Amino acid sequence: MATISVASDKGGPGKTTTAILIASELALDGYRVTVLDTDVNQQAAAFGRKAEIAGLTVVGDVREDNILAELRKAEAESEIVIVDLPGGSSTLALKAMHRSHFVLVPTQAALPDVKAAMKTIAQIDDAQELSRTPIARAIIWTRILPGFESRGARHVRQSVEADETLPILKASMMERAAFREIHITGKVPRQIDPASAASANVAAVTAELLQRIAQLAEAA
């Protein structure tokens, strides 16, 4: 169905957590999902060893020299492949983006994160130029405090959203203890409390991402 890369030029915006939450939500919805962990910290792989979610496979130790082979294998076996890319620009990231139908760019509403997001967008453009095929992408705001937004964060967010050329998901990943705890428990919010705000948050983000991918398929 689709290969999705989750990319950020810097650490800290919740890239791996976002990748895990979306992948788990899709698997719980019945999709066959593979996550390729290319990050040096291997946090997605560690989650995969703890998790018990039917349909979810997490492959660790994916490197520049084996990323294409792992992508071919995952795409043959799964309906959705999610690549958790390492922070920063790299040949590995360029290869994964080249093969992706969609690149999701997690970003906090802070100036350093937005600058990093613009670098990531530029790398997606490079991959698109190499492939000579459009690569869909979108920024997703992450670690947003529920019920509160500082003046600085609001200014940064509104400045970015004023640029109509930048695709941005309407749904954001909030800052929630339940999201941090997945790395400890190996369970996502939907497994613990399907009616929780955290579970609804993940469902909203995943539904919007699926909608955007479906629109790409319709336009093809």
Side-chain angles (χ1 to χ4, degrees), residues 10 20 38 47 63-64 103 106 108 137 144 148 161 163 180 193 212 214:
K10 69 181 288 293
I20 291 171
T38 73
F47 171 83
R63 309 173 305 276
E64 182 182 327
V103 181
Q108 293 187 83
R137 78 290 299 268
I144 303 296
F148 173 79
E161 291 176 350
D163 185 346
R180 295 192 298 272
D193 183 1
R212 294 205 178 207

Side-chain angles (χ1 to χ4, degrees), residues 1-189:
M1 179 181 176
T3 296
I4 304 163
S5 285
V6 184
S8 173
D9 196 69
K10 69 181 288 293
K15 172 180 58 62
T16 296
T17 299
T18 298
I20 291 171
L21 288 169
I22 292 173
S24 299
E25 182 73 12
L26 290 167
L28 289 167
D29 280 342
Y31 292 97
R32 296 190 310 278
V33 184
T34 295
V35 176
L36 300 182
D37 189 351
T38 73
D39 193 85
V40 65
N41 294 316
Q42 292 288 289
Q43 292 179 350
F47 171 83
R49 288 191 292 270
K50 296 177 183 178
E52 296 181 2
I53 301 175
L56 177 66
T57 301
V58 182
V59 179
D61 196 29
V62 179
R63 309 173 305 276
E64 182 182 327
D65 63 339
N66 68 359
I67 177 66
L68 294 178
E70 292 292 356
L71 273 168
R72 284 194 297 271
K73 184 174 185 293
E75 289 167 349
E77 297 174 352
S78 302
E79 295 168 279
I80 299 175
V81 178
I82 295 181
V83 186
D84 179 23
L85 289 174
S89 300
S90 65
T91 302
L92 187 157
L94 200 60
K95 287 180 178 180
M97 290 176 182
H98 192 285
R99 287 285 292 265
S100 297
H101 300 93
F102 200 98
V103 181
L104 192 61
V105 184
T107 308
Q108 293 187 83
L111 191 56
D113 284 75
V114 169
K115 287 182 176 179
M118 295 305 103
K119 288 183 179 180
T120 304
I121 296 293
Q123 191 173 24
I124 300 169
D125 287 338
D126 287 344
Q128 180 172 272
E129 183 72 18
L130 288 170
S131 65
R132 298 184 180 182
T133 303
I135 300 173
R137 78 290 299 268
I139 288 171
I140 176 172
W141 296 115
T142 57
R143 307 188 72 174
I144 303 296
L145 294 172
F148 173 79
E149 184 176 39
S150 69
R151 183 182 302 176
R154 183 168 60 252
H155 172 73
V156 169
R157 180 181 56 77
Q158 290 176 345
S159 296
V160 174
E161 291 176 350
D163 185 346
E164 296 182 355
T165 66
L166 289 174
I168 304 171
L169 293 192
K170 295 178 182 178
S172 303
M173 280 291 188
M174 311 303 286
E175 175 64 40
R176 300 186 187 277
F179 294 167
R180 295 192 298 272
E181 290 169 0
I182 67 173
H183 299 284
I184 300 170
T185 64
K187 294 181 181 294
V188 294

